[in-house]
Amino acid sequence: MLRVLVAWCPDWPVTAAGLAPEQAVGVVASGRVLACSAAAREAGVCVGMRRREAEGRCPDLVVLARDTAREARAFEPVVAAIATLTPLVEVTWPGLCALDVRGPARYFGGEEVLCHRVAEVAAGAMQAPVDITGLAGPPPTAAVRVGVADGYFAATLAARLGVIVPVGEVREFLSPFSVAVLGRPGLADILNRLGIHTLGELAALPASSVLNRFGPDGAEAHRLAGGVAERPLRARPSTEPAVVCLECDPPIERVDVAAFSARSMAANLVERLSARGLACVRLRIEAETEHGESLARTWRGDGALNAEDMVTRLRWQLDGWLSATAGPAPTAGITRLALVAEQVLPDYGRQLGLWGERTEADRRAARTLEHLRGILGPDAIFMGVLRGGRGPADRVELVPWGEQALLPAASLPWPGHCPGPAPSTIFSEALAAEVVDSAGEPVSVDARGHLSGAPARLVVGGGAWVEVVGWAGPWLADERWWDRSGRRRRARCQVLGADGVAHLVGLEGGRWSVEATYD
């Protein structure tokens, strides 16, 4: 069984700024609080809050813009200190790293001793007091939190609590956590609406049913919820390793020059993997100077690493090395750079154009969005994708740019869904409406889907009555039939008014409403 140790530095963007711990500090990205100090939290500031609201709750709040380069420079000494215990340190992002426990735990005399050693050297590199207390968990102000569990996902949650999860008990440990910790907001929203709120409830579902309903992404979430160890920290050797090297002549002495040179390397690596139907999820970056000094780091991605992600991580790594934050600075320029795809997964690809090609405008737009994503963060740019659902509002979801969406569920059968064409305008809140027959009686729908009469007139939002010249339906949707309190029965119809405007109307609880309008 894979045992993983995760070292997590809470509020790392604040710690990297170097301000006094007792100051109220908030790091802001895209207008929202990304991280805040303990003093700011005591004043009512929390992560995700808008900047103006945070400043209103804490007038003395020191607001800083996020600087990923600063965070990477400050975290490099921490990684270098942990690497003195074991060279197999894998960085996910500045503030979080992981290592394989098996070898180091035997060498140092057990997992608990290893946790103390990792916390000690990491806190020493941060010049912070060591306040981890072993299995009891660290105090809320701990500079470094360390956790051990079976698998990387469980270990990251164990690090939040500062605990060691015994071998074989990871499923029981994960069971009470909310599905929100999976890092899939769209999937978590659907699960919550289905009455599934915890990882234990998700793990109890049949794996085949989850795969059929949510596709590969849902199946991966189901495995994580059940404590099934995901990809290992140490990848198996590949028969055809994907490596891209660059010999630098003359030597490179600046980070921006190295990052510019690495762009073509990263694009080449991504294209080579894409031609084989693969995507990199674990990248090793190697740099060597003219005097033989070298630095290698392994980076784990939340998903597939694109070319911009690779360049960003190379910049983080070299920024900390060349600025001498992790020890003595190199005495010569960089003469060799290498990008090694240590672990790959099947690439699900992207939807091509009408005739299967991608134009140069598509590539420019993709490069621009990937560049903005690297600057603003992975959750700053969203794109709309189609997914499964019965109503028009249920079939559209915003997902972060570059991440795989829940597309497979869109092709599954959805009894009661509205047929095409899709409406052009979907209202965030349905408009009140009335539908009557030729005798002026309200139109109703029975349990078998039969209308009490043909729709003859329609009024929307208290406006004027409009004659109905055409209609189709109804389509019945009986959702959450197993839940007495959450059961929802709805009938939808398409109606065309004499004014030339078509609406999608729904009947629920004896009341009609307009959900969407067609062009």
Side-chain angles (χ1 to χ4, degrees):
M1 177 62 69
L2 176 68
R3 295 287 286 174
V4 179
L5 182 149
V6 168
W8 174 53
C9 302
D11 306 325
W12 181 251
V14 175
T15 304
L19 298 179
E22 61 274 8
Q23 284 188 275
V25 183
V27 177
V28 176
S30 302
R32 293 185 178 273
V33 177
L34 178 71
C36 58
S37 63
R41 280 193 293 271
E42 292 177 358
V45 180
C46 61
V47 174
M49 183 179 292
R50 293 187 178 276
R51 173 176 178 172
R52 181 171 297 180
E53 183 180 356
E55 291 177 326
R57 294 192 179 187
C58 182
D60 298 330
L61 183 69
V62 178
V63 178
L64 302 175
R66 188 184 188 187
D67 187 344
T68 55
R70 176 182 63 202
E71 296 171 21
R73 284 195 303 268
F75 194 58
E76 178 58 28
V78 179
V79 179
I82 298 176
T84 61
L85 305 178
T86 173
L88 301 175
V89 180
E90 183 177 294
V91 183
T92 303
W93 60 75
L96 183 71
C97 61
L99 56 93
D100 193 336
V101 168
R102 292 171 293 182
R106 288 194 298 266
Y107 180 81
F108 287 101
E111 295 179 349
E112 185 175 356
V113 177
L114 177 62
C115 288
H116 281 277
R117 291 285 293 147
V118 170
E120 182 180 4
V121 298
M126 297 167 57
Q127 297 181 353
V130 181
D131 49 12
I132 186 169
T133 57
L135 296 178
T141 58
V144 183
R145 298 190 184 183
V146 181
V148 178
D150 299 340
Y152 174 80
F153 174 71
T156 57
L157 297 179
R160 296 184 183 183
L161 305 177
V163 298
I164 298 177
V165 181
V167 177
E169 298 183 11
V170 64
R171 182 162 182 166
E172 292 75 11
F173 169 73
L174 294 174
S175 180
F177 283 92
S178 167
V179 292
V181 301
L182 291 169
R184 295 165 168 84
L187 177 61
D189 179 64
I190 296 176
L191 292 174
N192 285 328
R193 284 189 284 167
L194 293 174
I196 302 169
H197 303 287
T198 65
L199 297 183
E201 294 172 345
L202 176 59
L205 299 176
S208 59
S209 300
V210 176
L211 176 62
N212 292 335
R213 172 61 177 82
F214 298 106
D217 191 69
E220 175 67 16
H222 183 266
R223 287 192 292 269
L224 295 178
V228 179
E230 61 277 26
R231 59 181 184 267
L233 292 180
R234 291 189 293 179
R236 297 177 180 176
S238 174
T239 57
E240 187 181 353
V243 183
V244 178
C245 298
L246 175 65
E247 301 295 334
C248 309
D249 188 15
I252 296 176
E253 298 182 355
R254 292 170 48 188
V255 175
D256 57 344
V257 177
F260 180 80
S261 302
R263 290 187 181 277
S264 59
M265 298 171 55
N268 185 14
L269 179 59
V270 171
E271 289 178 4
R272 288 173 55 183
L273 293 174
S274 179
R276 295 158 54 188
L278 301 173
C280 178
V281 295
R282 187 171 180 269
L283 178 71
R284 184 173 179 83
I285 302 176
E286 301 174 354
E288 185 176 341
T289 69
E290 192 175 11
H291 292 171
E293 301 153 319
S294 63
L295 177 67
R297 288 281 181 265
T298 301
W299 296 85
R300 170 189 287 259
D302 292 332
L305 294 169
N306 56 37
E308 192 66 30
D309 294 332
M310 296 179 182
V311 174
T312 299
R313 282 153 178 78
L314 181 138
R315 183 188 293 272
W316 288 349
Q317 179 171 321
L318 296 185
D319 210 0
W321 190 36
L322 299 182
S323 61
T325 58
T331 58
I334 297 174
T335 57
R336 179 180 177 273
L337 289 172
L339 301 179
V340 183
E342 288 198 342
Q343 192 164 16
V344 295
L345 291 178
D347 186 6
Y348 293 100
R350 294 181 180 177
Q351 178 65 42
L352 299 178
L354 179 62
W355 306 109
E357 81 287 350
R358 293 187 66 194
T359 65
E360 182 59 30
D362 296 332
R363 297 186 181 93
R364 287 199 303 269
R367 287 196 297 266
T368 301
L369 290 175
E370 289 173 356
H371 180 65
L372 291 175
R373 179 172 176 262
I375 296 175
L376 301 177
D379 297 328
I381 300 176
F382 293 83
M383 60 181 295
V385 296
L386 290 176
R387 61 180 178 89
R390 294 179 174 83
D394 300 331
R395 294 182 57 81
V396 179
E397 180 180 5
L398 293 178
V399 299
W401 166 262
E403 294 187 7
Q404 181 185 358
L406 301 176
L407 295 179
S411 60
L412 297 177
W414 286 90
H417 79 281
C418 299
S424 58
T425 303
I426 302 175
F427 302 106
S428 57
E429 295 185 5
L431 306 179
E434 293 183 45
V435 180
V436 298
D437 56 19
S438 57
E441 296 295 328
V443 177
S444 60
V445 181
D446 62 19
R448 294 183 176 271
H450 298 151
L451 294 176
S452 61
R457 290 188 301 162
L458 167 73
V459 62
V460 180
W465 286 94
V466 177
E467 297 293 328
V468 175
V469 297
W471 60 276
W475 297 278
L476 298 180
D478 192 355
E479 301 174 330
R480 297 179 62 86
W481 50 266
W482 63 90
D483 185 359
R484 291 185 178 180
S485 60
R487 184 176 183 178
R488 183 179 184 186
R489 293 173 57 89
R490 191 175 185 86
R492 294 182 173 90
C493 295
Q494 294 171 336
V495 296
L496 174 62
D499 56 359
V501 180
H503 302 284
L504 178 66
V505 296
L507 177 63
E508 182 177 7
R511 296 183 179 182
W512 287 95
S513 61
V514 176
E515 296 184 38
T517 300
Y518 300 85
D519 282 339

